Amino acid sequence: MDDAEANVTVDFENIAKQFVEYYYKTFDSDRSQLAPLYGPDSMLTFEAAPSQGVATIVQKLVDLPFKLVQHQVATLDAQPSNERGGILVIVSGALLVEEEKRPMSYTQTFQLMPKDNSYYVFNDIFRLVYPAA
Amino acid sequence: MVARHNAPRAAAPRGPASQRRAKADRDGDVVMGVPFKGRGAVGKNTPTPTGPRKDALPRSSRGGILSATAQREILRKAGTSDMTMKEARPSVAKRGLVELKVTGWNKSKASGDADGGLSSLIKWLEKKGSTKLGSRVRSLKIRKFRTEGSDLIIKVMHEDAGALVRMNNYGWAGISIGIELMGGPVQDSAAPSSEAEKTKAMLRSVLERRYDFETKFLNLSGLGADEELKKQHIFDSKSTAGKFFPAMMRVLELSFDKPEERDAAVTSVSLANNDLEDLAVVSTLSLTLPKLQNLDLSNNKLDKLATLDVWRKRFYHLQHLILTGNPLEQNEPTYAQEVVSWYPNLLQLNGIQMRTEEEVAKKSKGTELPFPIRSALFQDEGGIAEQFVRTFFMGFDSDRTALAAHYYDDNSDFSYAVNTQAPSDPAGAEKIERGEWEGYIKNSRNMKKITQLPARQNRLFRGAKAVGDAFASLPKTKHPDLAAEARKWMIEAKMVPGVPDATGQSASGVDGFKITISGEFEEIDHASGQAKKKRSFDRTFILGPGTGPAVVRVVNDILTVRAYGGAQALEPDNAEGWNLEAAPQQQQAAPVEAAGQLPAGISLEIAEQMVAELTKQTGMTMQYSKDCLDQVAWNFEAGLEAFARVKDSLPVSAFMQPTT
């Protein structure tokens, strides 16, 4: 693998990592600020409920019935996935809401697309995969 | 070729239909076991199975079921319930033998036999005179016989005389034979008295004559040419023609004590050669024999698929349907595909194998949960995504090298990460042990932990070979059956643009699928073949159009493995328990708008009320209630009756889950 290709690899992996860190930091502090990460053609599927477009998606996230929330990322993996420079990002981790001590497991799949020297979430699928005990 | 590799098909179709073949009695009375023969064979000179031979009748002379003029009221009382199905018994002494005279028999085709055809005639009389149809099956025995000149005198039990007298003028071995009670028909004490009884007896005799006990075949083909029905002028007027069939179905129903007996006794019906333009006249067949397996509608005048609509959701058990010789064959080039999709158990259409029994078995197992999907969240096209999921996990459990070669190419990526922090199922017995993840950790590409570039790169497997090797390094697995254990899966699929084009023709990429799956698997011990550990997993695929043997190629495959966390979270009903969002409103939204056309007089509003009410009364889900009402043309009472009939065979998922 030559240097140029290696750099590309570094790039998408770091982008994925930076994105995930930023996304959950924003989500956990003030999720209404997630708007810039989505675009008009973005699609969120949150626990089987689909939302499309920035406003709808952010509204959906803001309306979730909890105030305090904390995402704990356990795994993060990414692959280049799209002809236009897209990145497929898979996260698994734990979700703590309100004062609840027992975490819920979730998995989230992001498809990131480049746009104006940055990236936005083209596709976002969130699923809880472990019950609140 | 994973799919073929792992899904051996039966070499030859099996099943009731293929076991039956047309055969001819010694007496020359053709008995066709099943009306269904291959394409081309059906439709021309299909012999009339039983009863008077119609070969001599020119086609043009046949009256269609709907054709004609005149005579009325003969069937007026036929459909009413005051008819009993007890055989009209002779009112005189029941004991003792009765003598009957059989005439004309000695000029038959069988007259060349050593005994002049006598023994085959006796056999035939006994067979035809027996009560084969109904709960009180009775076989007729001719106790004694002698010849007097050209007449045959037979002696039978008194109660059998009526059945024989009704066979007067039946065709046998090319001729028509006469049967009368000795002393003349005036003393025919077996004759039914009232008009209704007469009609009932006539219809019953038609059914008996056209029913083959051994093959459970009721041949109602060419009814317009039936001598007995013609004699009764059944088809001379539209009103009698329209009443005739439902009345006959009523008589059939009354012949049996229980619907199960009826279903068991008649598994094949032919309605061929009846000039049917639609199914209006015969639609009651699906109510009388809902479990029919073989149905012949060949050589009618059905010109559109729409003409079959009333039976579209009926005959759930149908295995073979014949539609040859109908204009719809020409008018609707894709009719076969459509029709097959209507009947989940259909194996053959027009004698051509459409599905194997294995395929049907697989499908029917999951009828209530055909595929573990969240309906709207599984966007598919031509079943491609579904097929991929089915094949993939089967291959992953049995032959990963072949699987990798089938779906992956030089540009396919696979990586996986182990989530060692995920909690295990609180209710489960699975314990996290030391070295728990030994089989996985070497190649786990969790970028939270793997920060060095070479280490990350080494754990991203590109190309079919590398992917296959990585697959092989993972413990052997067994995933739950997608159909039988659908609740252990959560699968979503979405069409996505911009998937790299393997052919390189489209720089901006092509449309593909993104499939996300959560589920579980068992690790199988290599040596013993025993399951040793349960795991949960989440897996995402990006699929593009295939360039090789497969329809699709895997572009991306990312897997996360974690401790077994139970399947509760994957069950749709539990999603509500999360409190993360308001309970889904699916149950409240009556799915009526998705229904086909409602009958006149039933507004959407009324339909929704009916659905709600049926759900309330039966406990069925809205969807099942709707389907149920749909099938009975939105007749609420009929819906309740239909429910009562099938409730024991409905899957659990047909009912609302108890709310806790």
Side-chain angles (χ1 to χ4, degrees):
Chain A
M1 188 175 286
D2 63 33
D3 285 354
E5 202 174 326
N7 285 336
V8 171
T9 311
V10 171
D11 207 19
F12 88 79
E13 285 166 340
N14 279 334
I15 288 163
K17 202 172 174 189
Q18 282 164 23
F19 164 79
V20 167
E21 280 165 11
Y22 180 75
Y23 181 90
Y24 289 123
K25 199 177 129 210
T26 310
F27 195 111
D28 295 351
S29 56
D30 179 2
R31 52 189 187 269
S32 67
Q33 300 303 309
L34 288 169
L37 290 179
Y38 292 94
D41 59 346
S42 296
M43 174 78 93
L44 163 72
T45 310
F46 191 94
E47 283 288 276
S51 316
Q52 179 145 24
V54 184
T56 319
I57 290 172
V58 172
Q59 194 60 48
K60 170 78 191 171
L61 296 175
V62 167
D63 287 347
L64 293 173
F66 47 75
K67 257 186 138 144
L68 285 174
V69 58
Q70 194 194 345
H71 288 81
Q72 295 172 342
V73 176
T75 69
L76 157 66
D77 195 359
Q79 291 178 4
S81 83
N82 186 285
E83 206 70 2
R84 299 166 218 162
I87 305 170
L88 183 64
V89 183
I90 312 291
V91 178
S92 75
L95 187 70
L96 283 150
V97 296
E98 310 296 7
E99 301 302 317
E100 182 59 64
K101 290 288 179 290
R102 284 161 301 185
M104 293 179 274
S105 291
Y106 74 92
T107 180
Q108 194 158 10
T109 304
F110 298 100
Q111 225 180 347
L112 306 182
M113 293 291 281
K115 188 181 155 193
D116 305 333
N117 295 323
S118 183
Y119 283 82
Y120 77 106
V121 181
F122 172 61
N123 224 306
D124 177 354
I125 298 181
F126 177 93
R127 273 287 187 186
L128 285 170
V129 290
Y130 181 79
Chain B
M1 307 307 285
V2 171
R4 283 174 224 172
H5 187 83
N6 288 304
R9 301 270 149 77
R14 286 176 286 114
S18 59
Q19 288 157 15
R20 302 177 199 144
R21 292 287 178 266
K23 58 179 189 252
D25 280 9
R26 273 203 59 221
D27 55 30
D29 186 0
V30 174
V31 175
M32 195 157 64
V34 135
F36 313 133
K37 298 194 285 185
R39 182 184 275 275
V42 172
K44 282 174 199 136
N45 303 321
T46 306
T48 305
T50 55
R53 300 186 62 92
K54 297 167 194 70
D55 302 12
L57 284 167
R59 196 184 157 87
S60 57
S61 76
R62 288 203 335 231
I65 207 166
L66 288 172
S67 66
T69 49
Q71 222 236 8
R72 298 171 180 265
E73 297 306 308
I74 187 157
L75 293 161
R76 195 168 55 84
K77 302 185 194 98
T80 59
S81 55
D82 64 358
M83 283 161 42
T84 60
M85 272 317 292
K86 285 188 197 121
E87 276 294 309
R89 303 279 180 219
S91 52
V92 293
K94 287 182 182 171
R95 253 164 292 164
L97 298 175
V98 179
E99 279 191 338
L100 294 106
K101 184 166 75 179
V102 183
T103 54
W105 62 277
N106 54 345
K107 297 184 188 71
S108 80
K109 285 181 192 163
S111 59
D113 291 5
D115 61 356
L118 195 56
S119 60
S120 33
L121 173 64
I122 296 290
K123 224 181 269 172
W124 180 81
L125 287 171
E126 287 184 335
K127 188 175 160 200
K128 289 286 166 209
S130 297
T131 308
K132 304 161 294 182
L133 191 62
S135 294
R136 282 159 295 274
V137 172
R138 176 179 170 78
S139 57
L140 181 146
K141 279 268 168 285
I142 292 177
R143 307 297 165 130
K144 286 178 181 166
F145 64 88
R146 64 177 193 277
T147 49
E148 282 183 4
S150 62
D151 297 340
L152 170 71
I153 311 298
I154 57 174
K155 279 189 177 183
V156 297
M157 294 300 287
H158 199 281
E159 48 266 49
D160 290 333
L164 285 168
V165 169
R166 283 200 297 278
M167 287 162 59
N168 186 30
N169 291 327
Y170 270 30
W172 172 70
I175 45 109
S176 170
I177 58 161
I179 303 177
E180 60 187 80
L181 272 176
M182 294 291 276
V186 191
Q187 288 165 29
D188 180 3
S189 55
S193 47
S194 73
E195 277 299 307
E197 283 294 320
K198 271 182 199 161
T199 306
K200 179 212 70 180
M202 182 275 291
L203 290 173
R204 195 181 150 78
S205 124
V206 171
L207 286 167
E208 280 273 352
R209 179 160 45 80
R210 289 169 165 268
Y211 173 69
D212 186 77
F213 178 75
E214 276 164 40
T215 55
K216 305 181 179 184
F217 170 42
L218 181 59
N219 186 336
L220 302 178
S221 66
L223 290 169
D226 190 297
E227 289 298 335
E228 192 172 353
L229 295 175
K230 273 164 101 176
K231 234 190 301 178
Q232 305 284 348
H233 304 280
I234 294 295
F235 303 112
D236 293 355
S237 91
K238 240 184 176 162
S239 77
T240 52
K243 284 172 189 162
F244 154 72
F245 196 89
M248 189 164 65
M249 289 298 107
R250 179 77 183 142
V251 168
L252 181 62
E253 287 180 17
L254 289 167
S255 303
F256 293 90
D257 294 336
K258 294 180 191 150
E260 304 90 86
E261 293 175 350
R262 198 165 70 220
D263 292 330
V266 185
T267 56
S268 303
V269 167
S270 172
L271 284 170
N273 297 306
N274 277 318
D275 293 348
L276 296 171
E277 287 172 6
D278 57 47
L279 303 174
V281 170
V282 296
S283 69
T284 43
L285 179 72
S286 68
L287 299 175
T288 305
L289 295 169
K291 295 188 175 168
L292 203 62
Q293 291 170 16
N294 306 296
L295 176 61
D296 187 352
L297 286 171
S298 63
N299 299 320
N300 282 296
K301 293 180 173 168
L302 304 165
D303 64 345
K304 288 191 297 286
L305 267 178
T307 60
L308 303 177
D309 249 10
V310 297
W311 283 350
R312 189 186 170 135
K313 289 186 174 171
R314 307 278 173 86
F315 298 127
Y316 178 82
H317 302 273
L318 200 63
Q319 292 178 7
H320 191 181
L321 177 66
I322 308 250
L323 286 170
T324 47
N326 281 292
L328 69 82
E329 277 190 295
Q330 282 76 47
N331 298 346
E332 310 234 10
T334 59
Y335 84 97
Q337 206 184 336
E338 179 80 4
V339 165
V340 169
S341 75
W342 292 357
Y343 303 107
N345 293 299
L346 198 73
L347 297 171
Q348 293 186 59
L349 179 66
N350 304 332
I352 295 165
Q353 185 89 19
M354 307 302 282
R355 290 192 188 104
T356 64
E357 291 196 357
E358 284 79 4
E359 283 166 336
V360 166
K362 243 187 214 167
K363 245 194 151 86
S364 69
K365 242 199 289 179
T367 306
E368 68 275 30
L369 286 166
F371 195 63
I373 54 166
R374 307 286 169 273
S375 51
L377 298 174
F378 199 87
Q379 287 181 354
D380 205 344
E381 185 121 334
I384 292 172
E386 180 176 332
Q387 183 58 37
F388 169 79
V389 174
R390 287 184 190 286
T391 313
F392 184 89
F393 288 100
M394 202 161 62
F396 198 80
D397 290 346
S398 57
D399 189 346
R400 293 183 192 161
T401 310
L403 179 75
H406 187 65
Y407 281 125
Y408 296 72
D409 61 22
D410 291 349
N411 296 306
S412 302
D413 284 332
F414 166 68
S415 60
Y416 70 88
V418 179
N419 180 349
T420 56
Q421 294 162 27
S424 57
D425 181 11
E430 303 281 335
K431 292 274 182 297
I432 308 288
E433 299 161 318
R434 262 185 99 78
E436 174 80 17
W437 299 104
E438 209 174 330
Y440 298 87
I441 215 77
K442 187 163 61 102
N443 286 320
S444 173
R445 191 173 184 264
N446 179 1
M447 298 199 304
K448 278 272 284 186
K449 295 189 170 165
I450 310 289
T451 52
Q452 296 302 305
L453 179 60
R456 285 180 175 175
Q457 285 172 347
N458 288 341
R459 288 167 169 81
L460 177 61
F461 303 98
R462 171 162 290 196
K465 172 76 171 67
V467 171
D469 290 348
F471 280 0
S473 76
L474 292 169
K476 196 170 159 52
T477 54
K478 185 175 183 301
H479 290 80
D481 188 271
L482 279 159
E485 300 180 87
R487 288 183 171 273
K488 294 181 176 173
W489 296 82
M490 181 160 62
I491 303 177
E492 293 175 22
K494 200 184 274 297
M495 307 271 284
V496 288
V499 173
D501 181 12
T503 65
Q505 285 171 359
S506 171
S508 59
V510 290
D511 284 349
F513 292 104
K514 177 163 105 172
I515 304 181
T516 56
I517 301 170
S518 288
E520 64 185 67
F521 59 81
E522 287 174 321
E523 275 178 34
I524 306 297
D525 185 72
H526 250 292
S528 68
Q530 297 296 305
K532 54 176 188 183
K533 197 107 199 175
K534 260 190 189 175
R535 307 286 189 197
S536 287
F537 75 92
D538 309 297
R539 197 161 190 163
T540 297
F541 296 96
I542 303 282
L543 306 180
T547 50
V551 181
V552 289
R553 59 184 276 262
V554 173
V555 180
N556 299 94
D557 173 3
I558 307 191
L559 168 70
T560 307
V561 182
R562 53 196 163 82
Y564 178 63
Q568 302 94 310
L570 312 186
E571 293 187 14
D573 307 324
N574 275 16
E576 299 163 31
W578 294 103
N579 259 345
L580 279 177
E581 62 174 320
Q585 299 297 300
Q586 287 160 345
Q587 291 294 351
Q588 275 68 46
V592 169
E593 63 280 4
Q597 309 85 347
L598 293 166
I602 304 280
S603 69
L604 192 63
E605 207 178 350
I606 293 173
E608 283 179 352
Q609 284 169 8
M610 286 168 74
V611 169
E613 185 58 27
L614 192 63
T615 292
K616 198 174 134 198
Q617 294 196 23
T618 62
M620 287 194 293
T621 64
M622 294 273 192
Q623 185 64 47
Y624 267 85
S625 298
K626 193 221 94 189
D627 287 349
C628 174
L629 287 164
D630 222 357
Q631 289 175 31
V632 295
W634 295 87
N635 176 331
F636 189 79
E637 291 305 314
L640 277 178
E641 281 168 27
F643 170 76
R645 274 201 303 274
V646 303
K647 64 180 174 193
D648 294 334
S649 56
L650 287 175
V652 178
S653 60
F655 297 94
M656 304 274 277
Q657 300 303 313
T659 44
T660 47

